[in-house]
């Protein structure tokens, strides 16, 4: 959008973007959440569990091997229709094994 509108990026924006690209994983810009490389999320849809991991700027769907650049595109590949991916369907396990909604990761 900045390019289209002719707005220059600040040095901080450039440094942040470079840091995130170099760190692997996947970044959700809209919600300012960075999922580190290998971060695993899962959900159940129609009694079947689906898993994906953050990998090099994409989401890798573990059952098919397909890559998706956003959570919304990942979710659309599983669930029919539009859903809010932050509504509690997608979950992760913390270091202690407790399950949380990915919504907990939003600032």
């Amino acid at each position: 959008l900045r390019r289209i509108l002719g707005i220059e990026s600040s040095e901080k924006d450039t440094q942040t973007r470079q840091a995130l690209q170099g760190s692997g994983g996947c970044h959700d810009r809209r919600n300012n959440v960075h999922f580190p490389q290998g971060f695993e999320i899962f959900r159940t849809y129609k009694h079947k569990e689906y898993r994906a991991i953050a990998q090099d700027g994409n989401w890798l769907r573990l059952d098919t091997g397909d890559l998706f650049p956003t959570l919304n595109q990942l979710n659309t590949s599983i669930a029919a229709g539009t859903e809010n991916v932050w509504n509690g369907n997608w979950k992760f396990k913390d270091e202690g094994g407790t399950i949380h909604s990915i919504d907990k990761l939003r600032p």
Side-chain angles (χ1 to χ4, degrees):
L1 188 56
R2 288 178 186 268
R3 180 183 50 81
I4 293 169
L5 297 175
I7 300 170
E8 293 185 31
S9 294
S10 71
E11 185 176 328
K12 183 180 178 190
D13 290 340
T14 302
Q15 290 172 347
T16 301
R17 187 170 40 258
Q18 289 171 344
L20 291 173
Q21 288 172 347
S23 64
C26 198
H27 189 76
D28 185 293
R29 290 182 306 193
R30 178 180 282 175
N31 294 285
N32 196 27
V33 175
H34 183 73
F35 299 92
Q37 185 81 359
F39 188 89
E40 185 172 349
I41 59 175
F42 57 93
R43 74 162 294 170
T44 301
Y45 182 73
K46 294 191 176 183
H47 307 291
K48 182 177 178 184
E49 187 174 84
Y50 296 89
R51 293 184 171 273
I53 59 170
Q55 180 178 309
D56 300 325
N58 292 292
W59 287 102
L60 171 65
R61 207 173 124 177
L62 296 178
D63 62 327
T64 64
D66 294 332
L67 294 171
F68 301 92
T70 67
L71 279 168
N72 283 326
Q73 290 174 346
L74 169 65
N75 194 66
T76 299
S77 76
I78 295 166
T82 304
E83 285 186 331
N84 176 352
V85 296
W86 299 93
N87 68 359
N89 287 331
W90 284 100
K91 302 185 182 333
F92 72 98
K93 284 187 182 178
D94 67 17
E95 295 163 355
T98 303
I99 296 173
H100 303 276
S101 166
I102 61 169
D103 185 55
K104 180 178 180 181
L105 302 173
R106 292 198 285 188

